[in-house]
Amino acid sequence: MKVLIVGGVAGGATAAARLRRLDENAEIIMFERTGYVSYANCGLPYYIGGVIPEKRSLTLQTPESFKKRFNIDVRIKSEVTDIDTENKTVTVCDLSSGNVYTERYDKLLLAPGAKASLPPIEGVDSPRAFTLRTVEDTFAIYDYLADTQAKKAVVIGGGFIGIETAENLMHRGLSVTLLTHGNQVMPPFDYDMACQLHAYMRSRGIDLRLNRHTTALSEYDSGIKVHTDEDGEINADLVIIATGVTPDSALAVKAGLKTGIKGSILVDSRMRTSAKDVYAVGDAVQVVNFVSGTDALIPLAGPANKQARIAADNIAGGNSEYKGSQGSSVIKIFGLTAATTGLNEKSAKAVGIGYEKTVTFSASHATYYPGATDMTVKLILSKTDGKVLGAQIIGFDGTDKRIDVIATAIRAGMTVYDLTELDLAYAPPYSSAKDPVNMAGYVATNVLGGKVKQFHWNEVGELCKRGDVIMLDVRTPREFAQGHFPNAVNIPVDVLRGRINELDADKPIYVNCYSGLRSYIACRMLSAHGFDCYNFSGGFGFYSYIAYDKKFDETCRGDCGLPIVN
């Protein structure tokens, strides 16, 4: 059997190695149009910042190592330009020599990945404007920084690559302005959670500007100008364009393969395309969202590796199936960690799923052990049966551990009731006896079970205008003085029992504290005395990030800030 693989990196290289382990006699040829066949794509920004100091650390395998260990013929700087699915041949151009030739196949695997998506504006082809997708891109940026002694950079785009590159440029000593078209960075997160990222990034010195529309790039004597509708011209020494990726499916389209979202390659659960004996994996293929069951593009390394293994199994005569992606991902932003899995509110609404949400603050480990830090956990769950649909977590130590627990729970079809029963490892340096995942489950089951009713940050503005409700703040007088809702009544939770008669039992009471814990206790207390009580999800601390973010929202024009009395 002769197998041709188009593209290396995560999908192609993984499939090639797996296929060899399954079939020692297969002839395997892999074509890669760049000069690097297997490299740490996700590590590229960290080489620019000097966190990864050596070029060779980025290279996982070479053509020579593939040949020696796996007996695979790897041809770099070789671009497949045509596929003849009827005669089962491909046309290859050797980019070094210009020589064009054909190769026959029994099985063909496409792993072309995705390409940087450039905004349709003048100036994106400037030599001072860069994308970051390949090893060659990385070295070009690194060399430019070294040669020009650049001091100021503009990053356009607030996704994974944009933020990681911004951080690493700051590690290099540059000042960085980050522009993003929407009202938040990191689209996998909901806006309210992203506000915490915004505040942290600004605290670390990134000039973060939301709702910015870049209209053009233009060069001047010593640098490059970024033109925006909102800020006019921003001067810089270089620009990094990180406005997302699109499936690199031109070859598949040319060959007549069926395509889906944004031209992605359509495959079935066994990674087979619409053409006989042609498979496809990685960022170029359309997948099924594991949680919602809808079609999706989820260009991440983990799914690409899994798809590659499944495709190799099936090429070798097996019967493996890919059951979908849930988008589990994590990003380091200086010292902060932000992670997500499954559906967020936006995606749940888009597919019409009835959901509930909870926001909890938990310590990363036992608070009496030094070094504990808070993490914010937002849980998305089915309103009907409590099934876990998604989660977003922002914190420091232990954030990645907790998102992986919830990702596993989603994969297993577990509910929030199951989260309360998870028997998770505990020692004071690592967790609490009630782990943050358990705590998220406890709060969610309380909401589903009717033990507490919630209200959310986007309801506060209207509630503060009403005269038929009581806004009750159960924090200490000192906390209250530092900021509170307009017309709020301050009765600390520890003295509430003795002062219940100060509250009007005919009015609904909306209770807040800093994190939602003391206000929950207050709500249980008030409910036992016959009050109609609502607990503030996430607490005043969570709300403060969102209120602070509105100060930077240029679309508000000063009239959509959230109410706080300082």
Side-chain angles (χ1 to χ4, degrees):
M1 178 173 65
K2 184 175 182 179
V3 181
L4 304 184
I5 298 175
V6 181
V9 198
T14 297
R18 172 66 173 173
L19 187 58
R20 174 56 74 220
R21 292 193 294 271
L22 296 175
D23 187 342
E24 179 63 21
N25 298 314
E27 180 184 359
I28 305 171
I29 304 174
M30 181 161 49
F31 303 98
E32 170 58 45
R33 64 187 170 199
T34 72
Y36 300 86
V37 65
S38 178
Y39 57 88
N41 188 284
C42 298
L44 300 182
Y46 299 100
Y47 175 75
I48 292 172
V51 178
I52 298 173
E54 300 291 337
K55 284 185 178 181
R56 63 176 179 269
S57 298
L58 297 173
T59 304
L60 305 179
Q61 292 282 355
T62 65
E64 294 75 22
S65 66
F66 260 110
K67 183 64 176 179
K68 184 176 181 179
R69 178 167 295 181
F70 298 110
N71 191 27
I72 292 172
D73 180 2
V74 176
R75 304 177 188 178
I76 59 173
K77 296 184 180 179
S78 297
E79 182 175 11
V80 175
T81 57
D82 286 285
I83 303 170
D84 183 342
T85 57
E86 184 174 344
N87 294 307
K88 303 182 80 167
T89 63
V90 302
T91 302
V92 185
C93 177
D94 184 329
L95 299 178
S96 297
S97 66
N99 181 45
V100 176
Y101 60 96
T102 61
E103 285 283 356
R104 181 194 61 80
Y105 67 83
D106 295 307
K107 305 285 185 179
L108 175 66
L109 174 67
L110 304 179
K115 58 186 178 181
S117 179
L118 296 175
I121 59 174
E122 183 180 350
V124 293
D125 56 349
S126 165
R128 295 185 174 113
F130 300 86
T131 58
L132 181 55
R133 187 67 187 167
T134 67
V135 173
E136 286 89 347
D137 293 338
T138 308
F139 293 161
I141 295 170
Y142 188 95
D143 292 343
Y144 182 87
L145 293 172
D147 293 343
T148 63
Q149 298 297 306
K151 301 298 182 185
K152 166 71 175 176
V154 172
V155 176
I156 303 173
F160 288 95
I161 295 298
I163 291 176
E164 290 170 348
T165 304
E167 174 188 344
N168 280 281
L169 288 171
M170 291 193 70
H171 285 320
R172 286 284 296 259
L174 280 75
S175 63
V176 178
T177 296
L178 192 149
L179 310 176
T180 185
H181 184 273
N183 70 340
Q184 68 169 88
V185 299
M186 294 301 296
F189 290 80
D190 288 316
Y191 168 73
D192 51 9
M193 292 292 283
C195 286
Q196 191 169 343
L197 304 181
H198 301 165
Y200 184 77
M201 291 168 65
R202 288 173 173 135
S203 75
R204 295 303 300 259
I206 292 179
D207 178 13
L208 174 63
R209 305 186 192 184
L210 308 173
N211 296 300
R212 286 334 195 251
H213 300 78
T214 302
T215 56
L217 304 177
S218 65
E219 294 185 33
Y220 64 100
D221 290 344
S222 58
I224 185 168
K225 295 179 184 288
V226 181
H227 302 262
T228 73
D229 285 340
E230 296 77 15
D231 298 316
E233 299 175 354
I234 304 172
N235 293 340
D237 297 308
L238 77 158
V239 172
I240 306 295
I241 302 172
T243 49
V245 296
T246 55
D248 194 356
S249 57
L251 180 63
V253 172
K254 189 177 181 182
L257 303 186
K258 291 183 179 179
T259 57
I261 302 170
K262 294 184 179 179
S264 56
I265 305 169
L266 286 182
V267 294
D268 63 12
S269 63
R270 297 182 65 193
M271 310 313 298
R272 296 177 297 194
T273 71
S274 57
K276 181 177 173 56
D277 293 324
V278 180
Y279 297 73
V281 301
D283 295 353
V285 306
Q286 177 176 296
V287 299
V288 173
N289 184 294
F290 178 80
V291 183
S292 66
T294 57
D295 294 331
L297 295 180
I298 303 179
L300 295 168
N305 276 278
K306 295 176 182 67
Q307 293 159 18
R309 182 182 177 91
I310 288 167
D313 286 352
N314 292 322
I315 289 171
N319 189 27
S320 297
E321 288 191 277
Y322 187 67
K323 298 179 181 179
S325 303
Q326 63 194 69
S328 300
S329 58
V330 63
I331 184 172
K332 170 187 169 294
I333 308 175
F334 298 98
L336 191 71
T337 300
T340 181
T341 187
L343 302 183
N344 56 27
E345 283 195 71
K346 293 173 289 189
S347 54
K349 288 176 182 176
V351 296
I353 293 177
Y355 70 92
E356 185 60 84
K357 59 183 176 181
T358 61
V359 178
T360 54
F361 283 96
S362 296
S364 57
H365 61 246
T367 54
Y368 59 81
Y369 187 89
T373 55
D374 284 336
M375 63 176 64
T376 307
V377 181
K378 181 172 183 178
L379 199 64
I380 309 296
L381 56 137
S382 168
K383 186 175 288 187
T384 55
D385 59 7
K387 190 174 182 178
V388 183
L389 302 176
Q392 301 156 56
I393 307 179
I394 297 174
F396 294 89
D397 292 341
T399 299
D400 54 335
K401 167 186 173 180
R402 274 57 182 231
I403 205 70
D404 284 343
V405 171
I406 297 177
T408 303
I410 291 173
R411 207 71 181 183
M414 297 171 70
T415 68
V416 293
Y417 303 100
D418 296 317
L419 295 186
T420 68
E421 298 178 2
L422 290 178
D423 192 350
L424 302 174
Y426 159 62
Y430 300 105
S431 184
S432 300
K434 292 183 286 189
D435 187 85
V437 174
N438 297 135
M439 289 301 300
Y442 293 143
V443 171
T445 57
N446 283 339
V447 170
L448 285 184
K451 290 184 173 62
V452 65
K453 293 183 287 187
Q454 299 185 105
F455 70 107
H456 301 283
W457 68 267
N458 55 331
E459 302 174 65
V460 170
E462 288 301 316
L463 287 170
C464 288
K465 297 175 184 177
R466 291 171 54 181
D468 60 341
V469 303
I470 297 172
M471 303 297 289
L472 176 62
D473 192 316
V474 296
R475 295 176 296 161
T476 66
R478 181 178 179 181
E479 290 175 282
F480 185 79
Q482 292 172 347
H484 57 268
F485 297 138
N487 305 315
V489 176
N490 181 216
I491 304 177
V493 66
D494 291 338
V495 299
L496 182 58
R497 282 188 180 85
R499 296 176 60 182
I500 282 181
N501 59 354
E502 297 178 25
L503 302 172
D504 187 345
D506 293 328
K507 292 183 177 180
I509 300 180
Y510 291 80
V511 190
N512 79 272
C513 68
Y514 181 78
S515 68
L517 176 58
R518 285 173 289 175
S519 52
Y520 167 66
I521 294 169
C523 268
R524 292 301 300 156
M525 190 188 307
L526 292 167
S527 296
H529 286 81
F531 287 85
D532 183 17
C533 190
Y534 298 79
N535 187 35
F536 190 33
S537 175
F540 196 85
F542 183 65
Y543 176 89
S544 297
Y545 285 114
I546 308 165
Y548 175 74
D549 199 66
K550 291 295 185 184
K551 296 180 180 180
F552 295 89
D553 188 346
E554 291 295 323
T555 64
C556 286
R557 308 301 179 197
D559 62 359
C560 67
L562 298 179
I564 291 180
V565 176
N566 292 314

